[in-house]
Amino acid sequence: MARSIIERILTALLVVFGSTFLVFTILYVLPGDPVDTILDPSVATPEMIEKLRHELGVDQPFHIQLFQYFSDLFQGNFGHSLVNSTPVLPQILDQFPKTLALTLASASISIVLGLTLGVLSAIHRNKAIDILARIIGLFGISMPTFWTGILLILIFSVHLGWFPSLGSDGWQTLILPAFTLGVIGAGSIIRMVRNSMLEVISENFITTLRSKGLSERVIMYRHALRNALIPALTMMGMIIGDMLAGTVIIETVFSRQGIGRLIADAIMASDLPVVQGVIFFTAILYITINLIVDISYTIIDPRVRRSI
C-alpha cells in the first residue's frame, strides 16, 4: 500500500506541474501586455515601455519566461502585483483564512444535510421524506450558484432581515454564503448516498443479516451505511474542491473578502501575477484534497486495499 500512496503523490505532483504549465501557457498566448496595466499607454514613451518590459522579463522568449516562473515558484516567490507592486503570496495568505472558513462551513452543511437526507430517503423510499429529499437534491444540483445566493439574499436579508447580505465581518455574514454553497453540495451527496444505500440494501448479505434476526436499525446504520459511504467519500472530496472554485462567484455575490474575490478583481485589472498565483495556489489545494480522499479511500475500503 505504501508503494501505491507514493505513486499517487508523484501523480499529484505531475498534475500540479501540468496545470501550472497550462495556466502559464494560456495567459502567455492571450492578447494584452502586462506593461499596459502599469503604464498609461497615452502618456508612456516607447523607451519607457521597452525599459519596463525588460525589467518585468516579458521581452524574453517563452521558454525563458517559463523557466524563470517555475524557478521563482520553487523558491516560494509568486511574483509581485502589477497594480500595487506588493508580493502576491502574502496577499493570498492574507485572504485564504476567509475563504477557508467559508469552505469549511459550506462543506459541513453539505455533509450533514446530504448524509442525513440521503440515508432517510433510502430507508423511507417513496414516502414523504424521500420525496422532500429528492426535491432538495434536485434543487441543489440544478440551480446556479449565483441564482441561489441572490434568492437567499432576497428572502433572508431583504424581506426577513435576519442576516446581513454583504461583507465578511462577523459570523453572521458567513451564514447565507455558506448555506448557498452547502445546499448545492448537499444535492449531489443526497443522490449519491441514496443510490448507494438502495444498491447495498438489495445485496444478498443484507438478506442474510435479516435472516439472522438483526434489527433493521443495526442493519441500516452499521452495515448498509458503512458500505454506502465509500463511494460517497470520493464525491465529498470533489465537492470540497469544487467549493474552493465556487467561492469566486459566492464572494463576488456577497461582497466577501477571500481568494475568490482576489482573483476576480485581478482578472478585471489584468493583474496576471496575481491571477497565476491564485490559480497555482488553488490547484495545489484541490489536488491535495483529492489526494487525501484517494488515500483514505484506499485505507477504508478493504477491497481496494486487497487489489493493490
Side-chain angles (χ1 to χ4, degrees):
M1 191 172 68
R3 180 181 176 183
S4 174
I5 293 174
I6 293 173
E7 288 178 351
R8 283 173 168 80
I9 293 174
L10 293 176
T11 303
L13 291 176
L14 188 62
V15 173
V16 170
F17 174 81
S19 60
T20 305
F21 173 78
L22 184 63
V23 170
F24 182 88
T25 304
I26 291 175
L27 294 179
Y28 178 83
V29 300
L30 285 177
D33 194 332
V35 174
D36 295 339
T37 306
I38 303 175
L39 296 177
D40 186 350
S42 62
V43 297
T45 64
E47 292 77 16
M48 293 170 62
I49 295 175
E50 194 59 33
K51 181 182 178 183
L52 184 56
R53 286 177 58 82
H54 181 70
E55 290 177 356
L56 295 175
V58 294
D59 59 343
Q60 298 295 321
F62 172 77
H63 65 281
I64 294 180
Q65 291 188 46
L66 180 64
F67 177 79
Q68 186 62 47
Y69 182 67
F70 274 103
S71 177
D72 290 340
L73 285 180
F74 187 74
Q75 300 174 51
N77 179 11
F78 283 40
H80 288 69
S81 167
L82 299 179
V83 175
N84 51 31
S85 301
T86 56
V88 173
L89 184 56
Q91 292 187 58
I92 296 173
L93 296 179
D94 181 58
Q95 297 297 322
F96 179 62
K98 303 176 183 68
T99 298
L100 180 63
L102 174 60
T103 303
L104 292 178
S106 305
S108 300
I109 293 173
S110 289
I111 293 172
V112 172
L113 192 63
L115 286 179
T116 303
L117 291 180
V119 171
L120 291 177
S121 177
I123 294 177
H124 303 284
R125 187 179 184 184
N126 295 328
K127 296 182 180 177
I129 184 65
D130 179 30
I131 296 172
L132 176 63
R134 290 162 66 182
I135 291 174
I136 294 175
L138 183 62
F139 178 87
I141 293 173
S142 307
M143 294 299 106
T145 306
F146 72 92
W147 188 89
T148 306
I150 293 173
L151 179 66
L152 293 180
I153 289 175
L154 289 174
I155 296 175
F156 295 102
S157 182
V158 176
H159 291 287
L160 298 177
W162 289 356
F163 307 108
S165 59
L166 304 176
S168 52
D169 297 325
W171 61 270
Q172 296 91 343
T173 61
L174 188 63
I175 295 177
L176 289 184
F179 197 75
T180 301
L181 278 177
V183 169
I184 292 172
S188 301
I189 296 177
I190 289 171
R191 301 189 82 175
M192 172 61 77
V193 172
R194 181 181 185 276
N195 293 337
S196 298
M197 281 285 290
L198 290 175
E199 185 176 341
V200 172
I201 290 172
S202 64
E203 291 187 5
N204 293 332
F205 80 95
I206 294 294
T207 305
T208 304
L209 292 174
R210 285 187 175 127
S211 66
K212 290 182 177 179
L214 269 67
S215 69
E216 198 67 18
R217 180 182 295 274
V218 171
I219 292 173
M220 290 298 166
Y221 291 100
R222 182 177 298 176
H223 298 279
L225 179 59
R226 182 178 179 182
N227 287 277
L229 282 180
I230 293 173
L233 182 64
T234 304
M235 172 163 282
M236 290 177 195
M238 295 173 63
I239 288 175
I240 293 174
D242 290 341
M243 284 178 177
L244 283 171
T247 57
V248 175
I249 299 174
I250 288 300
E251 288 174 355
T252 302
V253 170
F254 289 92
S255 293
R256 289 183 57 81
Q257 293 183 344
I259 58 174
R261 182 73 180 278
L262 179 65
I263 193 173
D265 292 341
I267 292 173
M268 295 297 292
S270 300
D271 198 348
L272 294 185
V274 176
V275 175
Q276 289 174 329
V278 173
I279 292 176
F280 177 71
F281 186 82
T282 308
I284 289 181
L285 286 177
Y286 189 92
I287 292 169
T288 302
I289 291 171
N290 282 282
L291 177 64
I292 294 172
V293 172
D294 201 17
I295 294 174
S296 303
Y297 189 76
T298 306
I299 295 173
I300 293 173
D301 192 347
R303 293 168 297 182
V304 176
R305 199 163 53 241
R306 284 194 297 268
S307 65
I308 298 174

